[in-house]
Amino acid sequence: MQNVFGASGREEDSEWLSVSDLMAGLMVLFLFIAIVFIRPVAEQNLRIKEIARTWQENETEIYEALLSEFEPDLVRWNAELEKDTLLIRFKSPEVLFETGRASIRPRFAEVLRDFFPRYVKVLDKFRPSIEEVRIEGHTSSVWNHTTPPDDAYFKNMELSQERTRAVLQNVLGLAEIDSDRHWLQPLLTANGLSSSRPVLNADGTENRDRSRRVEFRIRTTVRTEIVRILEEVR
């Protein structure tokens, strides 16, 4: 009986060992598969974090360079510099354009003649990391008291586009930037945005005067680089 039971026990132990070996092999296989699939994701995340860190440092440098160059002038131009968006905003509608027209007022032409060549010199230091320099034109939501809101939006869209093209033509025509035009012109765009991004008061109502503005915005290459990495992983 002992021999019989002993033989039976050894067979069960042998079968159990076989199952254990199989489970261990499967665990190793699953671990290998996990490493194969997880490693690229981990590497992707690491690369994105590194790009984000470099991007943050680079944009901080651009902001500090702009601030160093223009801080003394912002008040007299009634302009402001935003750190998070690398945006310089000109806020005096009575200085910028004739009412309802795309004609640049003489005072704004003087400001652009002072501002833009110096702006280009700052940009030149960071040229490899700049994807686009956007001239953005914004209006209030009204056209006149009798124009319906939808009609006013499209009329203001046309007006804002004409105004940004006028600014673009003005700054590219400055003799002081002749030597930079070859690299600057492909980056520089004119974007009329109508009343799509109004400036709001504290109570949520539109501040029509502050909504009428011109902005120079720098876009860096970090977004394009992150998209490229994600496409590589896919």
Side-chain angles (χ1 to χ4, degrees):
M1 293 292 291
Q2 290 179 352
N3 290 339
V4 172
F5 285 117
S8 177
R10 285 193 297 272
E11 289 175 2
E12 290 178 357
D13 289 344
S14 177
E15 290 177 359
W16 175 249
L17 289 174
S18 298
V19 172
S20 298
D21 291 343
L22 176 61
M23 293 300 294
L26 288 174
M27 289 180 63
V28 171
L29 177 61
F30 289 147
L31 180 61
F32 175 77
I33 293 173
I35 291 173
V36 168
F37 282 95
I38 291 174
R39 182 176 178 181
V41 175
E43 291 177 349
Q44 164 199 326
N45 291 337
L46 183 62
R47 290 170 68 186
I48 290 176
K49 286 180 181 179
E50 179 63 22
I51 290 171
R53 183 187 64 79
T54 304
W55 162 73
Q56 186 174 27
E57 292 175 353
N58 181 253
E59 292 210 345
T60 298
E61 289 181 9
I62 295 174
Y63 167 76
E64 291 176 349
L66 291 171
L67 185 64
S68 175
E69 179 65 35
F70 295 116
E71 187 174 20
D73 306 294
L74 295 176
V75 173
R76 68 184 179 89
W77 290 342
N78 193 18
E80 60 187 359
L81 168 63
E82 288 188 356
K83 182 176 183 179
D84 293 339
T85 58
L86 299 180
L87 178 152
I88 294 180
R89 176 181 296 116
F90 295 93
K91 303 183 294 181
S92 296
E94 71 279 3
V95 171
L96 302 176
F97 301 98
E98 300 286 346
T99 303
R101 300 177 60 189
S103 303
I104 296 175
R105 291 183 183 271
R107 173 60 185 145
F108 190 36
E110 291 178 7
V111 171
L112 291 173
R113 191 178 303 115
D114 184 12
F115 159 74
F116 195 71
R118 295 159 59 192
Y119 185 64
V120 171
K121 287 182 180 179
V122 173
L123 298 181
D124 188 31
K125 301 173 186 176
F126 303 96
R127 199 191 310 178
S129 62
I130 295 176
E131 182 176 56
E132 183 182 14
V133 181
R134 296 170 59 90
I135 302 173
E136 297 183 348
H138 303 264
T139 69
S140 69
S141 62
V142 299
W143 182 259
N144 57 41
H145 297 296
T146 62
T147 304
D150 287 346
D151 292 343
Y153 177 80
F154 287 108
K155 288 180 180 295
N156 280 317
M157 179 64 75
E158 183 178 359
L159 178 62
S160 63
Q161 290 173 345
E162 290 176 355
R163 285 177 168 178
T164 54
R165 284 197 296 268
V167 174
L168 178 64
Q169 185 175 7
N170 178 284
V171 297
L172 284 179
L174 296 173
E176 293 87 345
I177 64 126
D178 280 348
S179 60
D180 297 291
R181 189 175 287 107
H182 66 285
W183 65 264
L184 177 64
Q185 188 165 317
L187 300 179
L188 199 60
T189 63
N191 305 269
L193 299 173
S194 187
S195 57
S196 59
R197 299 179 188 174
V199 175
L200 303 179
N201 296 311
D203 61 2
T205 59
E206 179 186 358
N207 186 319
R208 291 176 180 174
D209 283 339
R210 292 195 61 196
S211 293
R212 301 180 181 109
R213 63 200 192 273
V214 171
E215 299 170 344
F216 286 76
R217 183 192 300 266
I218 299 168
R219 293 184 61 186
T220 57
T221 58
V222 64
R223 294 173 185 84
T224 302
E225 184 63 18
I226 290 175
V227 169
R228 184 184 64 79
I229 291 174
L230 293 173
E231 290 176 347
E232 286 179 359
V233 172
R234 292 193 191 102

